[in-house]
Amino acid sequence: MERSAVSARIRLPHPICPSRHFPSLQSPFLFPSSHSLSLKLSQNHVPLTSLNLLEAPSPLNPSATLSDTYSETVDLADIEWDNLGFGLQPTDYMYVMKCAQGGTFSKGELQRFGNIELNPSAGILNYGQGLFEGLKAYRKQDGNILLFRPEENGLRMQVGAERMCMPSPTVEQFVEAVKDTVLANKRWVPPPGKGSLYIRPLLMGSGPVLGLAPSPEYTFLIYVSPVGNYFKEGLAPINLIVESELHRATPGGTGGVKTIGNYAAVLKAQSEAKAKGYSDVLYLDCVHKRYLEEVSSCNIFVVKGNVISTPAIKGTILPGITRKSIIDVARSQGFQVEERFVSVDELLDADEVFCTGTAVVVSPVGSITYLGKRVSYGDGIGVVSQQLYTVLTRLQMGLSADEMNWTVELR
């Protein structure tokens, strides 16, 4: 089958929650005619049942089944939803939009998911001129789909693009592209409580360039995959080792933006840590080698009494959207949150430690190993970690009222 064939034109309707700031553009996109009938875009959703929300699939009751929530069959992909890990599951469609250096993005389209073609001298391949984002979509009990703060990802991509000398989609273009991609792949959004649809927007220098210079062409691409837990432990304590010699980022570098090179740089320390049985690596600052920065792909929080401390955003730490959300949630729950330099000594003396990120949401830390010394934090999930995880995930899944105005609902 020709994966890039294009013939039948259809429209993707996506009315959203009226409280959001981004109007639906109703943009037409092209689909292969052989798939236009099998991709069900009609919204035959079921009213919310009279079940108590805690009886439905949720962080508090993940064992609930689809039949507990739906009164009729929902169109879903035929995969084992109970066994989702955090790995790539090819889906139906991806979104592609291009622009030239100095130009603006326009005329994006949905294409069948598959390989892409790049010139060997593409800027992304030779000089690492690229960014990515990560966000999730969740299915509600009524069949509708929720996105979590997509405009924040669009804003962060713009900041990163400026640092990497790349043009970027507008926030509205970003959000509309995310919505269109999710709706085109809606059968891959897991049932409530079974996981989420991970959304990966990419921005890359796709044009050929031999000398060191910005690429002459750029591609914005979004693909998606249904996922379960990031760490194999699930919502269970993970074990971290503090890395004191290798560093994730340096002052004046690109640690504060989501550029692809930041992640390749952590693979050596992470691989060595996992070979020793640790879940991941916690990095220190490269100047003093005593202040916490972040885990390979997560922000870090330290709890002492009613005070929750996290390293301040100062150019070497990624401004995580889950981090930002947890800070607001924690304050709404009565905690005092401090963004400041946090020393490794405070980490070792903490009552509780947890990580945050799009992939992990909130991940409690069971132990920290530093210079051969192991410090454990209780026997299970910390009370604060559990509380914040529950509040945030219930909001993300539509199980509680969105008083923060953070979700975008696709009907």
Side-chain angles (χ1 to χ4, degrees):
M1 180 182 296
E2 182 66 31
R3 299 189 72 86
S4 60
V6 177
S7 56
R9 181 182 295 269
I10 65 172
R11 289 181 180 270
L12 288 175
H14 45 64
I16 63 173
C17 178
S19 62
R20 305 306 296 175
H21 304 295
F22 300 98
S24 172
L25 296 181
Q26 298 291 327
S27 301
F29 292 96
L30 302 180
F31 288 81
S33 58
S34 61
H35 292 272
S36 60
L37 295 178
S38 61
L39 179 66
K40 297 182 180 180
L41 296 176
S42 60
Q43 307 295 312
N44 297 320
H45 294 138
V46 184
L48 189 65
T49 69
S50 60
L51 290 172
N52 186 293
L53 289 178
L54 295 185
E55 297 173 359
S58 73
L60 300 182
N61 187 18
S63 62
T65 64
L66 188 61
S67 61
D68 292 330
T69 307
Y70 293 95
S71 60
E72 63 182 57
T73 301
V74 174
D75 181 29
L76 293 171
D78 185 18
I79 63 174
E80 295 185 20
W81 296 106
D82 290 325
N83 295 314
L84 282 179
F86 199 92
L88 178 64
Q89 166 65 60
T91 53
D92 297 327
Y93 295 95
M94 61 186 183
Y95 183 97
V96 179
M97 182 163 58
K98 295 179 180 290
C99 86
Q101 172 70 12
T104 57
F105 282 95
S106 63
K107 298 179 181 178
E109 67 176 19
L110 287 161
Q111 301 176 3
R112 291 294 293 180
F113 178 82
N115 294 339
I116 61 175
E117 184 175 289
L118 285 174
N119 189 292
S121 65
I124 182 71
L125 298 179
N126 290 261
Y127 301 116
Q129 193 184 21
L131 298 164
F132 74 89
E133 280 295 327
L135 62 157
K136 288 179 176 178
Y138 295 87
R139 191 180 295 277
K140 296 175 59 184
Q141 278 85 5
D142 62 3
N144 290 345
I145 297 168
L146 288 181
L147 304 176
F148 184 70
R149 308 191 78 173
E151 71 282 358
E152 291 287 339
N153 295 91
L155 286 167
R156 188 169 66 180
M157 176 167 278
Q158 287 189 327
V159 172
E162 193 279 330
R163 176 65 178 85
M164 302 300 290
C165 294
M166 298 192 292
S168 177
T170 66
V171 173
E172 186 172 75
Q173 284 177 318
F174 182 98
V175 173
E176 291 297 320
V178 167
K179 291 189 292 185
D180 288 330
T181 309
V182 170
L183 284 176
N185 293 285
K186 68 177 184 177
R187 73 191 189 99
W188 295 97
V189 182
K194 302 297 183 182
S196 60
L197 187 71
Y198 187 82
I199 305 161
R200 173 57 63 81
L202 298 169
L203 180 61
M204 55 187 164
S206 51
V209 55
L210 185 59
L212 179 57
S215 175
E217 180 192 73
Y218 296 86
T219 297
F220 174 66
L221 185 151
I222 304 175
Y223 68 91
V224 298
S225 177
V227 297
N229 292 316
Y230 181 78
F231 289 115
K232 62 181 177 62
E233 294 89 346
L235 184 62
I238 61 172
N239 301 301
L240 301 178
I241 184 170
V242 177
E243 175 57 57
S244 57
E245 295 302 324
L246 298 178
H247 298 282
R248 176 189 167 275
T250 60
T254 58
V257 298
K258 208 168 176 66
T259 183
I260 59 173
N262 292 347
Y263 295 85
V266 306
L267 295 178
K268 178 178 174 60
Q270 185 189 62
S271 298
E272 291 176 354
K274 289 188 175 183
K276 296 175 182 177
Y278 298 103
S279 307
D280 214 325
V281 177
L282 173 59
Y283 293 89
L284 301 178
D285 76 289
C286 68
V287 177
H288 306 284
K289 297 186 179 182
R290 65 183 297 262
Y291 296 107
L292 310 185
E293 294 231 315
E294 60 179 273
V295 182
S296 300
S297 59
C298 312
N299 294 113
I300 191 82
F301 287 78
V302 173
V303 182
K304 189 69 174 178
N306 195 54
V307 179
I308 302 176
S309 303
T310 191
I313 301 299
K314 52 181 173 49
T316 57
I317 298 171
L318 186 73
I321 294 163
T322 307
R323 172 190 181 276
K324 180 178 182 179
S325 304
I326 281 293
I327 288 173
D328 289 341
V329 167
R331 286 173 175 158
S332 75
Q333 297 290 303
F335 292 98
Q336 177 183 335
V337 181
E338 298 178 352
E339 299 178 72
R340 58 178 177 80
F341 287 102
V342 181
S343 71
V344 70
D345 293 330
E346 293 178 79
L347 172 75
L348 301 178
D349 189 47
D351 297 333
E352 190 174 333
V353 178
F354 62 87
C355 305
T356 65
T358 298
V360 303
V361 187
V362 174
S363 186
V365 175
S367 74
I368 293 284
T369 298
Y370 175 59
L371 299 179
K373 177 183 178 182
R374 180 185 175 102
V375 174
S376 298
Y377 305 97
D379 297 325
I381 301 171
V383 174
V384 176
S385 302
Q386 180 69 73
Q387 180 179 346
L388 298 180
Y389 172 85
T390 300
V391 172
L392 184 60
T393 53
R394 285 181 62 82
L395 188 155
Q396 290 175 325
M397 296 178 185
L399 297 174
S400 61
D402 180 13
E403 297 178 357
M404 302 288 194
N405 196 32
W406 284 344
T407 56
V408 175
E409 184 165 0
L410 307 181
R411 303 181 187 279

